Amino acid sequence: EPFQPFSDKLSQHPRTESEWENSFALKMFLFQFVNLNSSTFYIAFFLGRFAGRPGKYNKLFNRWRLEECHPSGCLIDLCLQMGVIMFFKQIWNNFMELGYPLLQNWWSRRKMKKGGGGGGGGQNVENKTQLPQWDKDWNLQPMNAHGLVDEYLEMVLQFGFTTIFVAAFPLAPLLALLNNIIEIRLDAYKFVTQWRRPMPARATDIGIWHGILEGIGVLAVITNAFVIAITSDYIPRFVYAFKYGPCADKRCLKGYMNSSLSVFDMWELKNSSEFRYCRYRDYRASPWSTPPYEFTLQFWHVLAARLAFIIVFEHLVFGIKSFIAYLIPDMPKDLCDRMRREKYLMQEMMYEAELEHLQKERKKNGRRYHHEWP
């Protein structure tokens, strides 16, 4: 057997079943999270960022142009993507979650009716009402070997979709609530009528899922800060209203659209179009400037404002979160004091019982007992 580091063996072969379940749940979550969220992260932060400008577009293998955002901005594309995920994907998940066991149970009943029990038993099996209850239960679908990992995974992924890009699609929490109201009844019907009764198992808490939910919460704050600052037009509008607008005292957006568009000379492409100049979304110098098509000062002001907003937004939200967590602790102070007191009393009782046992042993062995530490 090839040599493996001790840490690698520990990670691949956990000591207990709960550690194995936590490791399996974490790996499944990471796989599903990357698989399902890669498109949304691409649209939010990479789509159209490296496309270039007219006359100097970046091309893949010097042949294909990189795709760009919608003319109204990348936020619209992200909103449409989130709408499709939160509406159609949840409907499809509910359909598959209930439809698959229904189909399996129907097929097993059909096989029983066709196969029968051999000899004259087929007539008894053909009548469903004559089957014993344990046979009916046994013919249902067995529960997943991993228990409720799939159910937890579905809810955690939905929580991620609901929170990570909520700034781009504010209807996500409402759609998630409506889906959960429906799914509660579908899961109840599935567990009672379509699955075998699972073996009960005790659990002190939800395991590693608590840490995963906390990680998603932290990621959601960072992602929404970047969505507001980079993907949306909030910061460019803010900078224009306070710095470049014609009415700085009223903070209006008059002329913002013209300010956010740059000019390109079509004659540089040797195009015989009747229009010489075209406009595109960017903050670049005009073709008659020296040097042409360089980033303007407004571009750097917008970039600095975006970075400042990300830092301020994250610190503000994390500060409010920490303050609320301090005001509302997970365990009340009086309960902590009572638990601490019970632990102290338990230790006192154990000490007194041990002391009494030692005193009896010494008297039994004929040793003289003095009031010293046992």
Side-chain angles (χ1 to χ4, degrees), residues 187-201:
D187 283 347
Y189 178 79
K190 178 183 67 176
F191 276 103
V192 173
T193 64
Q194 303 301 317
W195 279 8
R196 297 175 193 167
R197 182 177 296 178
M199 293 295 293

Side-chain angles (χ1 to χ4, degrees), residues 267-370:
W267 286 6
E268 294 183 10
L269 302 177
K270 299 179 181 179
N271 193 346
S272 59
S273 175
E274 57 178 319
F275 301 103
R276 178 172 182 179
Y277 299 107
C278 70
R279 308 296 298 273
Y280 60 98
R281 287 175 61 94
D282 209 342
Y283 295 101
R284 292 182 179 271
S286 57
W288 51 83
S289 302
T290 51
Y293 305 117
E294 291 292 327
F295 288 116
T296 61
L297 185 61
Q298 187 175 356
F299 169 83
W300 300 109
H301 284 167
V302 170
L303 180 61
R306 283 172 169 170
L307 297 178
F309 175 83
I310 292 172
I311 296 173
V312 172
F313 181 85
E314 290 179 357
H315 283 73
L316 180 63
V317 174
F318 283 133
I320 295 174
K321 175 182 175 295
S322 302
F323 180 68
I324 294 176
Y326 173 77
L327 291 180
I328 310 174
D330 296 336
M331 189 176 296
K333 187 176 181 302
D334 56 346
L335 181 59
C336 290
D337 294 339
R338 291 177 63 181
M339 292 176 62
R340 202 176 295 119
R341 176 172 173 77
E342 287 182 1
K343 184 178 179 181
Y344 171 75
L345 293 176
M346 184 67 68
Q347 290 177 350
E348 284 288 325
M349 291 173 61
M350 293 175 62
Y351 169 73
E352 291 177 0
E354 184 68 20
L355 181 60
E356 184 178 355
H357 175 71
L358 289 175
Q359 288 176 352
K360 288 181 180 179
E361 287 292 327
R362 288 183 177 181
K363 287 180 181 180
K364 181 179 179 180
N365 296 333
R367 296 181 182 180
R368 191 176 178 182
Y369 173 71
H370 300 284

